[in-house]
Amino acid sequence: MDRIPILKLGSALLVTIQVDMHDRLAKALEDDITAKIMTTGAKGVLIDISGLDIVDSFMGRMLDTIASVGRMLDATTVVVGMRPPVAITLVELGLTLVGVKTALNVERGMALIGISVDDFEEVDRHDGG
Amino acid sequence: MTGGETIPIRESSDVIRVRAEVRRLAIGLGLGVVDQTKIVTAASELARNTLVYGGGGHAVLEVVEGKGRRGLRLSFEDHGPGILDIGQAMIDGYSSGRGLGLGLSGAKRLSSEFEITSVVGEGTRVVITRWN
């Protein structure tokens, strides 16, 4: 089965979702991220959903679960890049993702978890992903 | 009214196919991007219900006309166990399986029209319409 790649950037994990996920793929991503928080000791998880044209209740619950489990493992999860129509639809659906931090883009998300863009150069040298 | 398109729902990749086809039809109908997103999300919820609770079934997607306007009508049908208490199943947060129990109530809020019929032991049929 396909997997969504998880990149390690310094003390954070970066996940960019660019495909329409079926439920098993979403579940696998949830498991992979929580496992990777443990093995890397990451303090932050950035999930870029700018490539998603919908987030339904299953995907919303996945984001919520990742954030909750991450918090218990001492990692902050930030969802970035949500498209405005997706946000409007989620609210109407009744899913407000109260437990999930959000930011408009990756750069602001990085700032939220205390990583500055300047750290990237160093990361590029040490980490291939 | 045009001839509907039937999509079998047997596995989770079929839910993706439903989403893609609903998106295509919604764009063809000239729905704005927010309305496209709403109807595709509603379709995703109902297709998943058909798969998870109904044990599979099919979706019929059709462009309909009425009162001088056009809309998208989506029917989801399964021959699963049916729903004993529809009123209960429509309450936010109630769920007999997985998910947050927002599938039915959420799909209703995202649609212009919503209709559900269910017979215990025979199956469930949900029809939603989004008018342009």
Side-chain angles (χ1 to χ4, degrees):
Chain A
M1 191 177 78
D2 290 341
R3 286 292 225 256
I4 292 174
I6 302 169
L7 304 180
K8 186 172 177 296
L9 290 173
S11 58
L13 302 177
L14 176 62
V15 183
T16 304
I17 304 173
Q18 285 170 322
V19 294
D20 192 359
M21 292 184 294
H22 56 72
D23 292 356
R24 275 183 303 123
L25 185 56
K27 188 77 189 96
L29 178 63
E30 185 183 309
D31 295 345
D32 289 351
I33 289 176
T34 47
K36 198 131 184 178
I37 290 171
M38 282 307 291
T39 55
T40 62
K43 303 294 278 182
V45 180
L46 272 177
I47 305 176
D48 181 0
I49 61 165
S50 58
L52 289 185
D53 54 21
I54 70 153
V55 171
D56 66 9
S57 65
F58 190 90
M59 298 178 221
R61 192 179 68 136
M62 172 201 77
L63 295 173
D64 222 11
T65 304
I66 290 170
S68 301
V69 175
R71 190 160 45 241
M72 285 186 254
L73 300 174
D74 196 22
T76 303
T77 300
V78 184
V79 171
V80 304
M82 185 183 291
R83 298 184 190 181
V86 171
I88 293 168
T89 302
L90 269 178
V91 170
E92 201 158 319
L93 189 62
L95 209 65
T96 47
L97 300 183
V98 282
V100 183
K101 281 192 169 65
T102 53
L104 272 185
N105 53 43
V106 172
E107 197 172 335
R108 289 195 193 182
M110 283 287 185
L112 256 184
I113 53 177
I115 297 172
S116 87
V117 180
D118 299 338
D119 298 336
F120 273 90
E121 281 178 49
E122 181 134 354
V123 167
D124 284 343
R125 278 202 303 276
H126 294 294
D127 196 287
Chain B
M1 231 171 270
T2 60
E5 176 185 356
T6 301
I7 299 178
I9 302 172
R10 299 268 164 241
E11 51 185 283
S12 64
S13 59
D14 294 330
V15 177
I16 290 186
R17 200 176 145 213
V18 169
R19 292 203 285 255
E21 278 304 298
V22 171
R23 171 79 62 180
R24 193 179 62 78
L25 291 169
I27 291 171
L29 202 62
L31 288 181
V33 69
V34 172
D35 282 347
Q36 285 172 32
T37 306
K38 287 180 181 178
I39 191 73
V40 172
T41 305
S44 184
E45 299 294 341
L46 296 176
R48 179 180 298 106
N49 279 0
T50 299
L51 181 68
V52 175
Y53 301 117
H58 64 270
V60 179
L61 321 179
E62 52 193 335
V63 174
V64 292
E65 284 178 26
K67 297 174 197 159
R69 53 193 183 160
R70 297 207 300 161
L72 199 51
R73 177 163 295 155
L74 315 175
S75 313
F76 297 84
E77 198 170 343
D78 66 61
H79 298 287
I83 300 168
L84 185 61
D85 184 344
I86 290 175
Q88 184 76 20
M90 293 296 300
I91 297 171
D92 276 356
Y94 174 84
S95 176
S96 56
R98 290 177 285 126
L100 284 169
L102 292 170
L104 280 178
S105 54
K108 184 178 182 182
R109 281 195 292 273
L110 294 172
S111 311
S112 315
E113 289 167 21
F114 178 95
E115 199 183 299
I116 181 168
T117 44
S118 187
V119 178
V120 171
E122 286 181 23
T124 301
R125 180 179 147 91
V126 180
V127 182
I128 59 172
T129 310
R130 181 96 206 173
W131 294 106
N132 191 0

